Every structure is written in structure tokens, then in C-alpha cells.
Amino acid sequence: MTDEATMKAAMQAYIDAFNRSDAAAIADLYADDATVEDPVGSPPKTGKRAIAEFYQMAVATGARLELAAPIRASHGKAAAMAFDVRLNMPQGRAHIRVIDVMTFDEAGKFTSMKAYWGKSDMVLEQ
Amino acid sequence: MTDEATMKAAMQAYIDAFNRSDAAAIADLYADDATVEDPVGSPPKTGKRAIAEFYQMAVATGARLELAAPIRASHGKAAAMAFDVRLNMPQGRAHIRVIDVMTFDEAGKFTSMKAYWGKSDMVLEQ
């Protein structure tokens, strides 16, 4: 069942898995034929293998995710959340302001993820 | 040209027009054949007339929008923002936690809006 609480719990599980650098746990949140478009405007990754590889690279950066506001559900099979990606760059500490939108299947797995962030959302902190 | 700054300015103009109860100015931000799905999971409104009527009703509630985090752009023709809708209900002051995703045409007009919020995102403040 994909009710609002289930969708929000999956979104929070995504944040938590990322923050313990657990790429396999993130990939497990996705349906087998899911797509990931991160950032929106780039070619989507399709299927669990490509998605797992994407998150292995992502967590290897040591980045951490911090919700910027409570996770939103919807009246359909979709939810959205605003967060900041905190990371260390050669130039110093930085964050990227992101909004992720996920769609869900009946089992509560993500069928798609779209990450909205642009160059203007990357902020060098010092 | 639909660059990141242009998209973010249009999103901010949407917030500002709403907060002066200017439904016509909001409708002017949309392309003629745009769609509005608010909330996601409900039947979309299509075309400028239906969209203008929707916002006339929305601003008549006296609701006010407050950004919950900075507006996000993307690497494509889309942007997203998290905000709270503040309104007075018969039961008292309330807010609805929303994330809006807009897509854009070449002229910088919204071609679609999707509003992510569920029943669990409506919060009675007292």
C-alpha cells in the first residue's frame, strides 16, 4: 500500500541510507525498472544496476543530506522533499540545494526520481 | 531565454503575485496551453481560462505563501520550490506544506505546475 506515511517513510529511509553511505540500501528503495534523473536535464539512469552504480559513486564523495523542510506527500503516488547536500570540495565546504521528486509503485518502491538543482544551487560556504 | 535566473525569478514572481492576491498576474506567468495539477493526484486544470479561475478562487481564501527554502532550478527547463501556505480555517490558523514543480517554455512561461501536498501536510497550528 502506498499511502502518505509509507511514501514519507521511504523518502526518510533514502536520506538515512545516504547518510550512512549505504548505496545498496538506497538502491533497494527503487523498483527494478526505475529511472533516476539527477540533475533534471541530464540523461536518466535506468534500472537497478545503473542506479546502484550511481549511488556507489555518490556516497563515495562523503556527502551528507540534510532536509531543508518536512517531506511532502501528494494525493497520488508521488512525494517530494527539499534538502541540502553538504560536501567538501577542493575549494572548501559547500552545499547543493536540491528538491527530489519520487514516484511510487504499489509496493512502495520508487519508480522514478528527479533531482531539481542547477549550477546556481551550488553554494561555496567560505 | 530560460536560464536558471529567469526560472527562479518567475517562481518568485508567482509567490509575490499570490501574496498580493493578484490572480491575473499569476495566470500571466503561464503559457496559454499550460496545465496545473494541484494537488498531484487530482485532475489537472488545462488552459489559461481554467488556470485563471483556479487562482481567483485560491487568492480569495486570503492564503499567503512563504518559502520554506530557497527556490531550486535544474539543468533543464524546470524548477522547484518548497513553501508553506498559511491560511485561516474555521478551526484556527493552519498551514499546508507544499512543493511546486514548474516546467518552462522558451519564453520563460510555465507550461506545467505540479503541487505536491497530501492530507498529512495540512497542519492546524493550535
Side-chain angles (χ1 to χ4, degrees):
Chain A
M1 191 173 124
T2 309
D3 60 16
E4 293 186 23
T6 301
M7 293 193 293
K8 288 182 174 180
M11 305 287 272
Q12 184 65 54
Y14 176 96
I15 297 277
D16 295 342
F18 200 105
N19 285 343
R20 41 172 216 274
S21 301
D22 190 344
I26 303 171
D28 276 348
L29 295 168
Y30 281 91
D32 287 343
D33 56 351
T35 58
V36 168
E37 186 179 349
D38 183 356
V40 167
S42 68
K45 273 71 73 178
T46 303
K48 209 139 189 172
R49 176 175 300 205
I51 290 170
E53 286 172 1
F54 171 71
Y55 285 108
Q56 283 157 15
M57 287 193 296
V59 301
T61 65
R64 292 293 176 262
L65 310 187
E66 187 177 311
L67 282 173
I71 298 165
R72 274 70 164 153
S74 74
H75 288 59
K77 298 187 183 310
M81 60 182 175
F83 58 96
D84 295 323
V85 181
R86 302 201 168 274
L87 68 170
N88 291 309
M89 309 225 322
Q91 304 91 326
R93 288 187 54 81
H95 63 273
I96 308 173
R97 298 170 178 152
V98 183
I99 284 178
D100 273 8
V101 174
M102 273 73 152
T103 56
F104 293 79
D105 66 14
E106 291 295 337
K109 299 282 189 183
F110 304 147
T111 51
S112 71
M113 181 275 251
K114 291 188 178 208
Y116 295 83
W117 63 274
K119 291 193 183 81
S120 63
D121 298 309
M122 304 181 67
V123 181
L124 198 60
E125 289 170 15
Q126 63 194 33
Chain B
M1 191 172 125
T2 309
D3 59 15
E4 294 186 23
T6 301
M7 294 192 294
K8 287 182 174 180
M11 305 289 272
Q12 184 65 54
Y14 176 95
I15 297 277
D16 294 343
F18 201 105
N19 286 343
R20 45 170 213 272
S21 301
D22 189 344
I26 304 172
D28 275 348
L29 295 168
Y30 282 91
D32 287 343
D33 56 350
T35 58
V36 168
E37 185 179 349
D38 184 354
V40 168
S42 68
K45 273 72 73 179
T46 302
K48 209 139 189 171
R49 176 176 299 205
I51 289 171
E53 286 172 0
F54 171 72
Y55 284 108
Q56 283 158 14
M57 287 193 297
V59 301
T61 64
R64 290 293 176 262
L65 311 187
E66 187 177 311
L67 283 174
I71 299 165
R72 274 73 164 151
S74 74
H75 288 60
K77 297 187 182 312
M81 60 181 175
F83 59 96
D84 295 324
V85 181
R86 302 201 168 274
L87 68 172
N88 291 310
M89 309 225 321
Q91 304 92 326
R93 286 187 56 82
H95 62 273
I96 308 174
R97 297 169 179 152
V98 183
I99 284 178
D100 273 8
V101 174
M102 273 71 154
T103 56
F104 292 79
D105 66 13
E106 292 294 337
K109 298 283 188 182
F110 305 147
T111 52
S112 71
M113 182 276 250
K114 292 189 177 206
Y116 295 83
W117 62 274
K119 292 193 182 80
S120 62
D121 298 309
M122 303 181 67
V123 181
L124 200 58
E125 288 170 15
Q126 63 192 34

Coordinates of all heavy atoms in Angstrom, one line a residue, chain A residues 12-13 17 31 34 39 57-58 81 88 95 105 114:
Chain A
Q12 N 12.4 9.3 3.9 CA 13.3 9.4 5.0 C 14.3 8.3 5.0 O 15.5 8.6 5.3 CB 12.5 9.4 6.3 CG 13.3 9.7 7.6 CD 13.9 11.1 7.6 OE1 13.2 12.1 7.5 NE2 15.2 11.2 7.8
A13 N 13.9 7.1 4.6 CA 14.9 6.0 4.6 C 16.0 6.3 3.5 O 17.1 5.9 3.7 CB 14.2 4.7 4.2
A17 N 19.8 6.3 4.6 CA 20.7 5.3 4.0 C 21.9 6.1 3.4 O 23.1 5.7 3.5 CB 20.0 4.5 2.9
A31 N 12.3 0.4 -7.5 CA 11.8 -0.7 -8.3 C 12.9 -1.1 -9.3 O 13.7 -0.3 -9.7 CB 10.5 -0.3 -9.0
A34 N 13.3 1.2 -12.4 CA 13.2 2.6 -12.1 C 14.1 3.5 -12.9 O 15.1 3.0 -13.5 CB 13.4 2.8 -10.6
P39 N 21.1 15.6 -12.3 CA 20.0 16.5 -12.2 C 19.0 16.4 -13.3 O 19.3 15.9 -14.4 CB 20.8 17.9 -12.3 CG 21.9 17.6 -13.2 CD 22.4 16.2 -12.9
M57 N 28.9 5.8 -6.4 CA 29.8 7.0 -6.6 C 29.3 8.1 -5.8 O 30.2 8.9 -5.2 CB 29.7 7.4 -8.1 CG 30.4 6.4 -9.0 SD 30.7 7.0 -10.7 CE 28.9 7.2 -11.2
A58 N 28.0 8.3 -5.6 CA 27.5 9.4 -4.8 C 28.0 9.4 -3.4 O 28.4 10.3 -2.8 CB 26.0 9.5 -5.0
M81 N 10.8 16.3 -1.6 CA 11.5 16.8 -0.5 C 12.6 17.7 -0.9 O 13.2 17.5 -1.9 CB 12.0 15.7 0.4 CG 13.0 14.8 -0.3 SD 13.6 13.4 0.9 CE 14.6 12.5 -0.2
N88 N 32.5 18.4 1.0 CA 33.7 19.1 0.9 C 34.3 19.1 -0.5 O 34.4 18.0 -1.1 CB 34.7 18.4 1.9 CG 34.3 18.5 3.3 OD1 34.1 19.7 3.8 ND2 34.3 17.4 4.1
H95 N 27.5 23.4 -0.2 CA 26.3 22.6 -0.2 C 25.5 22.9 -1.6 O 25.8 23.9 -2.2 CB 25.4 22.9 1.0 CG 24.9 24.3 1.1 ND1 25.6 25.3 1.8 CD2 23.8 24.9 0.7 CE1 24.9 26.4 1.7 NE2 23.8 26.2 1.1
D105 N 5.5 2.7 -6.8 CA 4.6 1.7 -7.3 C 3.8 1.2 -6.1 O 3.9 1.7 -5.0 CB 5.5 0.5 -7.9 CG 6.4 -0.2 -7.0 OD1 6.2 0.0 -5.7 OD2 7.2 -0.9 -7.4
K114 N 13.5 12.4 -9.7 CA 14.0 13.5 -10.4 C 14.6 14.5 -9.4 O 13.9 14.9 -8.4 CB 12.9 14.2 -11.2 CG 12.4 13.4 -12.4 CD 11.4 14.2 -13.2 CE 11.0 13.4 -14.4 NZ 10.6 14.3 -15.6

